[in-house]
Amino acid sequence: MANVVVTGGAGFVGSRLARELLAAGSLGLAGGAAAPLSRVTLIDRSPPPADLAGADVIFHLAAAVSAECEADFDLGMRANLRATESLFAACRALATNPVVVFSSSLAVFGGSAEHPLPAVVDDHTLPNPQSSYGTQKFIGEQLLADYTRKGFLRGRAVRLMTVTVRPGRPNAAASGFFSSIIREPLAGRRAVCPVGAQTEVALMSPARAIDGLLCAATSSDEAWGGRTAVTLPALTTTVADMIAALERAARPGAGALIDWVPDPQVARLVASWPARVRARRAERLGLAPDPDFGSIIGMHLAESR
C-alpha cells in the first residue's frame, strides 16, 4: 500500500496531481511494483506536521511564487526555504526513507556579467538564479540532494517550466500573464500583457507537468541517474505565436482583447529565465515537450467545458 502526501495540494498543479493519483489508484515508487494507494493527504497553507503518518511519497509543490517573493523577501524565505527545510527534517524523523519529489523551477538559471546565460540550457548548465524565488528553489534542490546523500530520504527534484494555461484567477507569479492572455480572451474578457510580442518563453502544459512529477516518483534510482535536479522538456514559443494560436482556436480578433502595458519589473524577471532547453536526461526517462501551443489551448478548452 502507498501513502501519498502532496504539499500545496489545494493549488492548481497539486489538486490536478491528486486527481491523477486517485484515478490511477496505485503508484510504483522508485522503480518498484505498483502498489494500491492507501491514503492521499493534501496539505496547504500550514506548516508540515511533525509526523507525516508514515508517508511513502511526498510531492512538495507548496511555494510562494516569483513576483511575490521579489516584493516580500521574508515571505519567500518563510514559504520557500524554512518550510522546505522543516518538511525535509520531518521526513528524516520518519526514519522510513520516503521518496520526496520537489518541484523546482527554470528560474534557477539566469545570466550575469560574469556568467552569461547560454542560448540553450542543458543538463550541465550551472544554475545562476537572478531572483529570490530562483535562489530559494536552488537552495531547496541542494538541501534535497544532501538529505538524499545522507540516506534520510530519496529525493527527486524536477525543474518545471512556466505551466500554462492555468484556469481560475491569476496568482502573483510573474509568469501568470502567460495564462491570462489566453484564458481571458477565450472567455471574452480583456487581459494585460506586460512584455513585448517577440518575448520568448519555455512553456509546458499542466499534463506535461504532471507527467514529470509522476516520472520522478516512479523511476528507479538507476534510471533517474543521480541526485541533481532534472530539467523537464519545454516548448519554446513567443507571445506573438501564442496569440496567433489563440486566434486560430477562438476567433479572429481575440487578440484585440489584450492590452499591451509594459511592466519593467515583470519583463526583467521573464528575461532572466532561459527560453530554450535541451532536456536530454528527461528525454531518456521518456518525457517529451508539448508539440505546439495550439495543443495546449486545446487541452485547456477541453477541460473547461
Side-chain angles (χ1 to χ4, degrees), residues 185-205:
L186 284 172
R189 297 188 292 264
R190 304 201 70 81
V192 172
C193 184
V195 302
Q198 296 310 310
T199 300
E200 282 193 324
V201 61
L203 299 175
M204 67 192 322
S205 66

Side-chain angles (χ1 to χ4, degrees), residues 73 137 223 242 252 255 266:
F73 180 79
K137 285 295 185 180
M242 293 172 67
V266 171

Side-chain angles (χ1 to χ4, degrees), residues 269-288:
L269 279 174
V270 172
S272 74
W273 305 331
R276 297 180 179 272
V277 175
R278 185 180 297 115
R280 296 279 170 77
R281 189 173 162 199
E283 290 167 2
R284 288 195 295 271
L285 290 163
L287 298 171

Side-chain angles (χ1 to χ4, degrees), residues 63-297:
V65 294
S66 51
E68 63 184 355
C69 291
E70 284 298 289
D72 188 340
F73 180 79
D74 293 326
L75 169 65
M77 293 296 285
R78 286 195 310 272
N80 295 347
L81 185 54
R82 297 191 189 104
T84 295
E85 200 172 11
S86 295
L87 177 68
F88 294 170
C91 292
R92 176 188 178 187
L94 291 174
T96 58
N97 198 27
V99 173
V100 178
V101 179
F102 174 63
S103 64
S104 187
S105 168
L106 201 65
V108 302
F109 298 111
S112 60
E114 72 281 5
H115 185 68
L117 183 68
V120 180
V121 301
D122 61 22
D123 296 323
H124 305 292
T125 301
L126 179 69
N128 184 27
Q130 300 300 302
S131 66
S132 295
Y133 175 76
T135 299
Q136 291 149 10
K137 285 295 185 180
F138 185 50
I139 293 171
E141 290 181 10
Q142 297 303 298
L143 280 174
L144 186 71
D146 203 42
Y147 270 73
T148 300
R149 181 185 66 84
K150 296 292 287 184
F152 301 145
L153 49 77
R154 288 172 286 171
R156 308 285 175 81
V158 292
R159 293 170 180 152
L160 301 180
M161 310 297 110
T162 294
V163 179
T164 191
V165 177
R166 291 172 175 263
R169 296 179 62 82
N171 62 16
S175 60
F177 73 91
F178 286 117
S179 286
S180 63
I181 62 173
I182 304 301
R183 181 186 61 240
E184 304 308 313
L186 284 172
R189 297 188 292 264
R190 304 201 70 81
V192 172
C193 184
V195 302
Q198 296 310 310
T199 300
E200 282 193 324
V201 61
L203 299 175
M204 67 192 322
S205 66
R208 290 293 194 267
I210 299 302
D211 288 346
L213 293 167
L214 291 174
C215 178
T218 57
S219 295
S220 68
D221 291 340
E222 181 181 18
W224 190 250
R227 296 191 297 269
T228 55
V230 167
T231 303
L232 297 183
L235 168 68
T236 298
T237 188
T238 66
V239 171
D241 287 340
M242 293 172 67
I243 294 172
L246 164 69
E247 296 203 330
R248 289 192 296 271
R251 56 181 174 78
L257 291 170
I258 299 171
D259 299 316
W260 300 85
V261 182
D263 185 325
Q265 175 75 352
V266 171
R268 183 193 70 78
L269 279 174
V270 172
S272 74
W273 305 331
R276 297 180 179 272
V277 175
R278 185 180 297 115
R280 296 279 170 77
R281 189 173 162 199
E283 290 167 2
R284 288 195 295 271
L285 290 163
L287 298 171
D290 294 278
D292 52 62
F293 192 67
S295 68
I296 295 179
I297 294 179

